[in-house]
Amino acid sequence: MAPPVRALIVCTNHTQYKTRPQKTGLWLSEATHFYDELSDRNIGYDIVSPLGGPVPIDERSLDLKDNTNDKWYHNAEFRQKLENSLKPEDVDPGKYQLIYFTGGHGTMWDFPDNERLQIITRQIYENGGMVAAVCHGVSGLLNVKLSGGEHLIDGRQVTGFSNMEEKLVRLDEEVPFLLEDELRKQKAVYSKGFIPFLPYIEVDERLVTGQNPLSARKVGRKVLEEMYEK
C-alpha cells in the first residue's frame, strides 16, 4: 500500500516594497484555494517559509467574503500552521510527494535565492514527486537545479505573473525583477493567457504552474489529476 500523500506549502515572510508604505505578504487565496482542492482527498500538509515562524498576509488579499478564504482563515489547524511555519532547515523532503509555492509579491524577494528551498524542491522532484507554483510563487523555481546541473525549468512549459499584469497593478517599478522576463532568461518556455487576470495554467509532466491568483484552484485540480488519475 502506497504511503499517504503529504504536501509542503511554501509561503513568503517578506512584507516590504521598495518605496510603497503598504505591506505585502502571502496572497491568501493562493494558499486557501489550492489547499481546498487537496483537502477533498484529506491530503496532509505542512507550511514552510524562508525564515519560519509567522507568515504575513497581504491585507489586500484578506477577502473573507470569499467563502474559501473565510473557511480556511478560520480553520484552527490552518491558522496554526501559518503562524508557526517550519524553517526550511527543519524540513525532511522525503516526507513529501508535492511541493507548492504560493505567491504574493513578497516571494520575489525571499524565494529565488533560498538554497535550502531549492534543495528540497530538487529532492521531492527527483523522488518522483510533483512541483507546483502559482503567480509570483513561480519565482521559487527560477534557480532550482537538478542533480545533473541543469535548471528544473530549462525548456519546460511554465507560466507565472505576466509583465502586463504587473503593470496593470502598478507594481512593475516596485518589484526587484519582472517574473515573466526572468523565466524567459532562464530558458523556460513561458506562456500566458490572452486576457490578464483570468485562470491560466501550464503543465509539463510533474511541473504545474499558474499565472495569477485566480489560477490557484485550477493548479490544485491539475495536481490531483496528475497524481491520482494517471
Side-chain angles (χ1 to χ4, degrees), residues 81-125:
K81 288 177 184 284
L82 271 182
E83 291 166 6
N84 300 276
S85 67
L86 302 173
K87 294 180 180 179
E89 295 76 19
D90 296 332
V91 168
D92 173 8
K95 291 174 55 178
Y96 305 96
Q97 295 74 44
L98 164 65
I99 185 168
Y100 169 66
F101 289 84
T102 61
H105 279 85
T107 65
M108 301 280 276
W109 280 270
D110 64 358
F111 276 12
D113 297 320
N114 190 292
E115 293 183 5
R116 178 60 189 166
L117 286 175
Q118 294 167 26
I119 292 169
I120 292 168
T121 305
R122 182 187 77 223
Q123 292 184 353
I124 291 173
Y125 184 78

Side-chain angles (χ1 to χ4, degrees), residues 25 123 167 177:
Q123 292 184 353
K167 289 172 183 174
F177 56 88

